[in-house]
C-alpha cells in the first residue's frame, strides 16, 4: 500500500505564490511519473503538471510559465511551485503517483489540498 500526503495549500491573493508538496510512503518498488491535478467545484479533475522519473515535464496550457513541477526521487516527493496565481486557479489540488511494484503499475492519489486565490 502506498500513501501520498500533500501539504502547502491555503488562501492567497491574486498574484501571490504557493508551493505544494507531496510525499509518497509505503511499500513500493519505484515511482514512475508523478503529477498534480486539480478540481474546481462543478468541474472535472484536470491535469496541471506531470514529471517523469527522468525529469521530463508537461504542463497544462493554463499554467505554463507560472507553475513549475519538480521532484526529489530520493525522498519520493513531488513539488509544485505556483506563481502569479489567479482566482481561476482556485481548486482542490491532488497529487498522483504511478508506482511500479513487480510487473504492476498502479496509480495512487493523495487526499487533496485546497488552494484558494482571492481577487
Amino acid at each position: 500500500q502506498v500513501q501520498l500526503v500533500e501539504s502547502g495549500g491555503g488562501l492567497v491573493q491574486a498574484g501571490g505564490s504557493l508551493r505544494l508538496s507531496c510525499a509518497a510512503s509505503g511499500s513500493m518498488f519505484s515511482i514512475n511519473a508523478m503529477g498534480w491535478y486539480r478540481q474546481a467545484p462543478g468541474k472535472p479533475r484536470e491535469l496541471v503538471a506531470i514529471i517523469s522519473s527522468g525529469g521530463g515535464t508537461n504542463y497544462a496550457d493554463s499554467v505554463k510559465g507560472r507553475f513549475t513541477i519538480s521532484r526529489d526521487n530520493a525522498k519520493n516527493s513531488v513539488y509544485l511551485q505556483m506563481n502569479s496565481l489567479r482566482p481561476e486557479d482556485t481548486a482542490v489540488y491532488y497529487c498522483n503517483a504511478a508506482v511500479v511494484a513487480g510487473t504492476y503499475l498502479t496509480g495512487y492519489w493523495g487526499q487533496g489540498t485546497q488552494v484558494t486565490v482571492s481577487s
Side-chain angles (χ1 to χ4, degrees):
Q1 191 70 15
V2 175
Q3 296 81 40
L4 299 179
V5 178
E6 300 126 333
S7 61
L11 173 64
V12 65
Q13 289 187 333
S17 299
L18 283 174
R19 185 175 188 254
L20 304 183
S21 299
C22 173
S25 62
S27 300
M28 68 190 84
F29 181 69
S30 66
I31 300 178
N32 198 333
M34 301 186 80
W36 289 95
Y37 293 72
R38 67 187 180 187
Q39 187 166 19
K43 294 186 177 181
R45 191 172 297 188
E46 62 175 0
L47 174 69
V48 176
I50 192 167
I51 184 168
S52 70
S53 57
T57 60
N58 195 25
Y59 296 90
D61 288 343
S62 60
V63 306
K64 283 181 180 177
R66 301 188 297 124
F67 291 10
T68 302
I69 190 171
S70 61
R71 67 188 285 172
D72 184 335
N73 291 332
K75 295 182 179 180
N76 290 326
S77 294
V78 63
Y79 310 96
L80 186 68
Q81 178 66 42
M82 305 185 292
N83 298 329
S84 301
L85 282 161
R86 304 168 180 169
E88 53 264 39
D89 295 318
T90 296
V92 178
Y93 283 70
Y94 297 91
C95 173
N96 177 272
V99 176
V100 177
T103 59
Y104 296 96
L105 180 66
T106 305
Y108 291 89
W109 293 95
Q111 79 285 357
T113 185
Q114 178 70 46
V115 171
T116 303
V117 184
S118 63
S119 56

